[in-house]
Amino acid sequence: MPSRAPTATTNERGSSHGPLSLAARAAIATSFVLAGFLGLVGLTLTQTTKARALRGLQDRLENFAIAYITNTDVNRYGKLLPPETAPNPNFSRPGSGLYAVALGDNGYHWESSSAIGRDFNFLKPLEPGQSVFVGPIDTRMGRLYYYSYGVAFDTLDKKSVRLTVMVAQTEDQLEGENAVFRHTLVIWLSILGVMLIVLQLLLLRWSLTPLRKVASDMSRVERGDSEQLDSQYPLELTGLTERINAFITNEREQRTRYRHTLADLAHSLKTPLAVIRSQLESANGEDDAARRNSVLDQVRRMNELVAYQLSRAATSGRQTFASAVPIAGHAEDLVQGLEKVYAAKNVLCEFDIEDGAVFYGEQGDLLELMGNLLENAFKWAGHRVLLVVRMRHEAGRQRSGLLLSVEDDGPGIAADNIEKVLQRGVRGDERVQGHGIGLSIVQDIVHAYQGELVVDRSPEFGGARFSVSLAAT
């Protein structure tokens, strides 16, 4: 049977669409929130308007009832006389939906022209002064709201004649008014919603302009049109852009360091190779021992050059996301090793290390930096060496700086020789006599971390003092 190629599932392929942009996310979230908010506003206004309309209906029916009571009279014989005029023309039009009915003593019953032929058997007489507003109720005429009010008329012979007046209105009239309001409300809320969404999109576009500016500046950096993100950004993006710039700078310096290291290594190896070639080409069987020693010296020199340049190339430099490396433990390990190497000198190394002192960078860089300074001090010290480490705290900086100094009681360095010792760009074959390649490695590491190396005389021991200062970031 022919084999079928396996079909990749959706999970294996991943979604065909990327994640939504920040603008799309904000627009969708805002639309949902706005729709819910306007819906609640519309519901609240509808309920409030309905309650107000119901209250207005009650007041209107009550006024009609009072008007009918005012126009009703009783004669000297205690007979009720129906009202002669209606407070609203709809009471005179049959089927208008506005009805008036009156019930009195001795079987008195009166209806407005609009109520003729309607069934009002649900109406009950009320005590004088009693009133009720009911609705909507289901009747044969449809759903009704009605207001009833009970009164008593006094006759000339001081008898009391009771009368109950009811005024009713069909629900469809009230609902018609509410429907018009709801329709108008929906239209205006929809228009308002669209306007607010458009306004929100404009605000989002304006608010996200700095992010688009960062992306545009990053593209310019990638194309080589700019060295860094150099625009002015809002406070919320300043930390991010500063770290991106630090990352870009560190990457460029690392790449430059590799290029310079390879160039320096190639240049440094030219002289030893030329000497070896000359020695081999001039070989005539005589002075083999001298020639052998000369070649071994050049090979040893080449080995030192390679080690030095590789140490320079391996220096990581300042890193945006470097971890904190504790200093005290590594300092003890280094000193223990150096005490064994220089046991004959019986050197005493003292520590003055701040509690919790850390180095933000690669552990290998810390060991190279501190190890070379300590080894140099042990080499030239008489009997005493002092290592001082202090953290440099600065307000507004997330990572503290570092101050590291190594002092000895040796002969020190002449003032006119210090500038030469600290000269940048010294090749492996241009070292200061008596200090080896260690100080060149220290200088390269300090430069990679954008710090400063200062050489002066120790105020306590009288020998040399090497001070490394790394700024807070």
Side-chain angles (χ1 to χ4, degrees), residues 10-57:
T10 302
N11 290 335
E12 293 172 343
R13 292 192 303 264
S15 176
S16 59
H17 301 286
L20 293 174
S21 65
L22 292 178
R25 290 171 182 267
I28 293 174
T30 302
S31 299
F32 278 114
V33 172
L34 186 59
F37 174 74
L38 292 179
L40 289 176
V41 170
L43 180 62
T44 302
L45 290 177
T46 299
Q47 294 298 325
T48 302
T49 303
K50 184 177 181 180
R52 185 184 296 112
L54 194 61
R55 180 62 184 173
L57 175 63

Side-chain angles (χ1 to χ4, degrees), residues 118 122 136-145 169-171:
R118 306 291 177 175
F122 57 87
I137 61 172
D138 293 319
T139 67
R140 296 181 180 179
M141 298 166 286
R143 293 170 63 82
L144 288 177
Y145 290 92
Q169 179 177 306
T170 55
E171 183 187 33

Side-chain angles (χ1 to χ4, degrees), residues 246 249-251 253-254 257 311-319 359-360 365 424 440-452 470:
T249 301
N250 183 69
E251 190 272 339
E253 290 182 351
Q254 190 79 1
R257 189 158 49 249
S311 297
R312 289 181 60 197
T315 302
S316 299
R318 178 181 293 183
Q319 299 178 359
F359 170 79
Y360 290 99
D365 293 341
R424 293 182 182 273
S440 298
I441 294 176
V442 169
Q443 180 73 351
D444 288 336
I445 293 175
V446 172
H447 176 67
Y449 280 86
Q450 301 177 15
E452 182 181 9
L470 303 180

